Amino acid sequence: MLPPPDDEFDLIGFERGVVPASHAVVRFASAGETVQVIATADARSAVESRFEQLAGAEAGESSEGVIDRVSVWCAGSSFEADLQFLDVARVHSPDARMQAQQRWQAWWLTFDRATPWEGWSIDDRPGQDASSSVGPFLDRASARRWSEMLDGIYELCREPAELRRAPAGSPCAYKEMGLCRSTCDGGERVSDHDGRVGQALSTTAGTLATERASLAAAMAAASGEGAFERAAALRDRVAALPAADDRAAGAVGPVESFRFVVVAGTGARRSARLMGVDATGWRVLGDAAAEATGEDSAAGSVDRVIDGALAWAAEARVTADRFDPAMVGVVAREVVRPRRGGPVLLRTDGLDRSALLADIRRVGGVPDSGGDGDG
């Protein structure tokens, strides 16, 4: 449910300086109808520029469609404003939300293990069985390269249509090069091929590091045996692997692992905001402030926010039926192409207190709570 705006203003009788000069989502309306919804780094400038339009109408210009009311949802960072925009636009400007989804589109790679002869497919959302998909990728070409890499690593059938005819299918050139198990013509059982598909769908950046070392050893052995064609093919497979520090490769995983605790700014000094984001939505988990009031303390504030974040991280995982492509697009781009001075995104798998505390201190300048780290 969309929360009420933090501020609302009538532009008739509007006074400059009352709108916060902060990250925000702003809805401009005319006679109760939405004219525009925007995410902005400076709500004050965005609103005051529209005040000039109203002033022109009052001076005798046409008032049709002139903005007369503004609603403001404040955000602590540009990343939070992008997330908030999706929520506000869902209610007040669905067309703008769809345009944003198309602009931020991410892609998923799916292998339906019930119909292996269809091979890999690329779509803007995972398959109905979420375990059959991996992603996200920022473009279709990246998804295709990933599927080709997995075909090579796990020696999957490059002509999957032949699997429908197994064990009477026609083998391709990869069998002759020793880079295919020849499932189609009975070289192995289809169930064995399916087992390797399962391994492919579980591939992560860590898996690829192990694969790189294994391929290098196999390439050296092939060269030593004089199997130069096979060595060249293995060399090409090594070259196709992403670099160890490739952020795009590090983002790829099953849809249920696309779940992060985000440490971001609040717009105020010496504080950090924790948010939970996944493929279905987002929520603010709390603000950790260096300076607290009343019975609270800075250390207590940090501890409570971390406890809340860890509790959220342990909640039920993502399901395909609640998947939000626009949300994934925003988060995927932050993971792969982080904005300068932007938030820290921590995957919930294996998340611990010490990692959260370190990033809270770094992003918000919040002092150590005095705890013992992972306790």
Side-chain angles (χ1 to χ4, degrees), residues 202-275:
S202 301
T203 296
T204 64
T207 308
L208 294 179
T210 302
E211 178 63 17
R212 182 182 296 277
S214 176
L215 286 174
M219 182 173 64
S223 296
E225 296 167 0
F228 299 115
E229 185 177 6
R230 176 170 172 77
L234 290 168
R235 179 198 59 208
D236 292 343
R237 284 169 58 181
V238 171
L241 295 178
D245 59 352
D246 188 315
R247 296 186 67 93
V252 176
V255 63
E256 64 182 18
S257 73
F258 192 80
R259 190 171 169 83
F260 304 87
V261 170
V262 181
V263 184
T266 65
R269 295 180 64 249
R270 293 176 62 75
S271 64
R273 176 164 298 159
L274 268 62
M275 296 176 282

Side-chain angles (χ1 to χ4, degrees), residues 12-375:
I12 298 175
F14 174 76
E15 295 182 6
R16 292 180 180 275
V18 297
V19 179
S22 66
H23 293 286
V25 175
V26 182
R27 174 190 177 233
F28 298 102
S30 175
E33 296 295 323
T34 298
V35 175
Q36 188 181 27
V37 174
I38 65 168
T40 177
D42 187 345
R44 180 178 297 168
S45 294
V47 172
E48 291 185 356
S49 67
R50 297 307 178 98
F51 175 73
E52 301 298 335
Q53 179 188 9
L54 179 61
E58 291 177 336
E61 300 175 9
S62 171
S63 62
E64 182 179 356
V66 170
I67 293 163
D68 55 21
R69 190 163 181 79
V70 175
S71 304
V72 179
W73 288 261
C74 294
S77 63
S78 58
F79 177 71
E80 184 182 354
D82 285 346
L83 299 179
Q84 187 71 269
F85 169 84
L86 294 179
D87 288 352
V88 176
R90 187 197 304 274
V91 175
H92 294 293
S93 186
D95 288 345
R97 193 183 201 277
M98 181 55 67
Q99 291 171 6
Q101 177 177 319
Q102 293 170 349
R103 184 169 68 251
W104 295 328
Q105 184 69 68
W107 301 92
W108 294 80
L109 188 62
T110 297
F111 195 110
D112 186 345
R113 296 169 71 175
T115 56
W117 48 84
E118 294 180 358
W120 296 103
S121 63
I122 302 171
D123 203 348
D124 64 353
R125 61 183 62 234
Q128 193 59 37
D129 176 5
S131 66
S132 68
S133 301
V134 294
F137 303 91
L138 297 194
D139 53 66
R140 294 179 65 92
S142 296
R144 177 58 60 198
R145 286 193 296 271
W146 192 269
S147 72
E148 292 169 352
M149 178 191 71
L150 295 178
D151 284 345
I153 292 174
Y154 297 102
E155 298 184 351
L156 302 181
C157 184
R158 275 71 158 196
E159 301 291 340
E162 291 296 321
L163 292 176
R164 188 190 287 272
R165 300 173 54 205
S170 300
C172 64
Y174 284 93
K175 177 182 178 180
E176 297 178 13
M177 291 188 293
L179 298 175
C180 172
R181 306 288 181 89
S182 194
T183 313
C184 62
D185 71 345
E188 69 169 358
R189 296 173 299 178
V190 174
S191 60
D192 293 332
H193 182 272
D194 178 68
R196 294 199 308 283
V197 170
Q199 290 179 289
L201 290 168
S202 301
T203 296
T204 64
T207 308
L208 294 179
T210 302
E211 178 63 17
R212 182 182 296 277
S214 176
L215 286 174
M219 182 173 64
S223 296
E225 296 167 0
F228 299 115
E229 185 177 6
R230 176 170 172 77
L234 290 168
R235 179 198 59 208
D236 292 343
R237 284 169 58 181
V238 171
L241 295 178
D245 59 352
D246 188 315
R247 296 186 67 93
V252 176
V255 63
E256 64 182 18
S257 73
F258 192 80
R259 190 171 169 83
F260 304 87
V261 170
V262 181
V263 184
T266 65
R269 295 180 64 249
R270 293 176 62 75
S271 64
R273 176 164 298 159
L274 268 62
M275 296 176 282
V277 297
D278 60 21
T280 66
W282 71 288
R283 59 183 286 192
V284 173
L285 302 174
D287 290 355
E291 298 174 1
T293 59
E295 297 179 358
D296 202 355
S297 67
S301 168
V302 173
D303 284 339
R304 276 192 293 277
V305 172
I306 290 178
D307 287 344
L310 293 175
W312 179 85
E315 291 177 2
R317 294 298 192 235
V318 177
T319 57
D321 60 319
R322 296 174 54 219
F323 185 84
D324 183 346
M327 178 67 56
V328 170
V330 172
V331 179
R333 272 160 174 70
E334 192 63 40
V335 173
V336 177
R337 299 173 183 166
R339 64 197 84 191
R340 188 172 185 178
V344 175
L345 281 75
L346 301 168
R347 286 193 182 271
T348 58
D349 294 337
L351 183 64
D352 61 40
R353 181 176 294 271
S354 61
L356 274 173
L357 180 58
D359 284 315
I360 288 172
R361 294 175 65 191
R362 185 172 68 81
V363 172
V366 179
D368 194 328
S369 69
D372 58 357
D374 294 337

